Amino acid sequence: MHDNIKQKEKKTWEQRKLKEVFNERKEKSAEGELLSVTINSGIVKFNSLDRKNNSSSNKSNYRVVKVGDIAYNSMRMWQGASGVSPYNGIVSPAYTVITPRTNVDTNFMAINFKRISMLQIFQRNSQGLTSDTWNLKFPALGEIKVRIPSFEEQKQLSLVFSRLNSLIAANEYNHKNALNIRARFYPCIFT
């Protein structure tokens, strides 16, 4: 069955370079809410993080991010530091912001960007002498080839993964609550 799915994918998914799927947003502004790109949570408001603000007081070179854009940390893309923005705002000039072209579901592409095989491709295409200096700017990212389905299938797949992530999050929450309840009962039972 898995082989049948793979064969169907090969027939219906189109191979394209990322520069054919995305444009780089080069717009800059000092105005807007400061956002941050994280590995686990994607794009978040900077003030929601428990971090010291080391951002420049002169934010004129900060990059504009709009809802639906994908922003990524150019030096950590190979580790999964990317996400779809649920916010309008600005990010450090160290980040790259890409906008979808026609018939691209950014949620689907963001999921695709987190796959281990894609992270390995990002790692191979990052430039620099050592892992702490590797970076993946848009010109190099744009040359990477990906296989993508039709726009309708992209939307359906991103919906499936969204629901799956919601189920996982709910079960993690329930598991943590069960552990808390158990921890509270232990002293009552064993004293």
Side-chain angles (χ1 to χ4, degrees):
M1 182 172 156
H2 182 68
D3 289 335
N4 290 341
I5 293 171
K6 282 289 205 191
Q7 289 302 322
K8 182 182 177 198
E9 175 188 318
K10 286 180 183 176
K11 291 178 185 173
T12 61
W13 288 34
E14 183 181 349
Q15 185 174 39
R16 296 170 65 192
K17 288 184 177 182
L18 285 173
K19 69 182 178 185
E20 298 168 354
V21 179
F22 291 101
N23 292 315
E24 181 177 13
R25 182 182 298 282
K26 295 184 178 184
E27 184 181 350
K28 296 177 182 178
S29 177
E31 302 299 316
E33 184 164 14
L34 184 60
L35 305 175
S36 188
V37 179
T38 67
I39 291 174
N40 295 321
S41 301
I43 299 176
V44 298
K45 294 180 179 183
F46 182 84
N47 63 12
S48 71
L49 300 172
D50 191 25
R51 285 191 204 162
K52 181 181 177 196
N53 188 344
N54 292 325
S55 65
S56 172
S57 58
N58 176 3
K59 293 185 173 51
S60 61
N61 282 325
Y62 276 52
R63 296 181 180 263
V64 171
V65 177
K66 295 187 178 179
V67 172
D69 288 350
I70 292 179
Y72 68 90
N73 183 324
S74 304
M75 293 185 72
R76 298 183 64 200
M77 182 62 157
W78 61 276
Q79 295 174 315
S82 66
V84 176
S85 184
Y87 311 107
N88 290 320
I90 58 173
V91 293
S92 162
Y95 295 157
T96 300
V97 180
I98 56 178
T99 63
R101 292 187 177 199
T102 308
N103 294 326
V104 177
D105 184 282
T106 53
N107 291 310
F108 170 80
M109 294 305 294
I111 293 164
N112 193 13
F113 286 177
K114 297 284 189 170
R115 292 183 311 115
I116 292 171
S117 60
M118 278 304 302
L119 295 177
Q120 291 169 341
I121 290 169
F122 295 149
Q123 183 177 13
R124 283 195 305 270
N125 285 274
S126 292
Q127 300 166 341
L129 295 176
T130 61
S131 62
D132 62 336
T133 63
W134 289 344
N135 73 67
L136 185 63
K137 297 291 185 185
F138 186 72
L141 179 93
E143 294 300 318
I144 296 171
K145 293 179 182 176
V146 294
R147 296 186 66 78
I148 59 172
S150 70
F151 183 59
E152 280 305 312
E153 193 171 350
Q154 290 175 52
K155 290 192 303 187
Q156 291 172 356
L157 289 169
S158 67
L159 181 63
V160 167
F161 278 103
S162 175
R163 288 180 178 164
L164 183 59
N165 288 339
S166 294
L167 284 171
I168 290 168
N171 283 321
E172 285 175 350
Y173 177 78
N174 289 337
H175 179 71
K176 286 179 183 174
N177 281 341
L179 291 176
N180 271 341
I181 291 168
R182 183 180 71 183
R184 290 182 183 179
F185 275 106
Y186 276 168
C188 299
I189 296 170
F190 294 107
T191 53

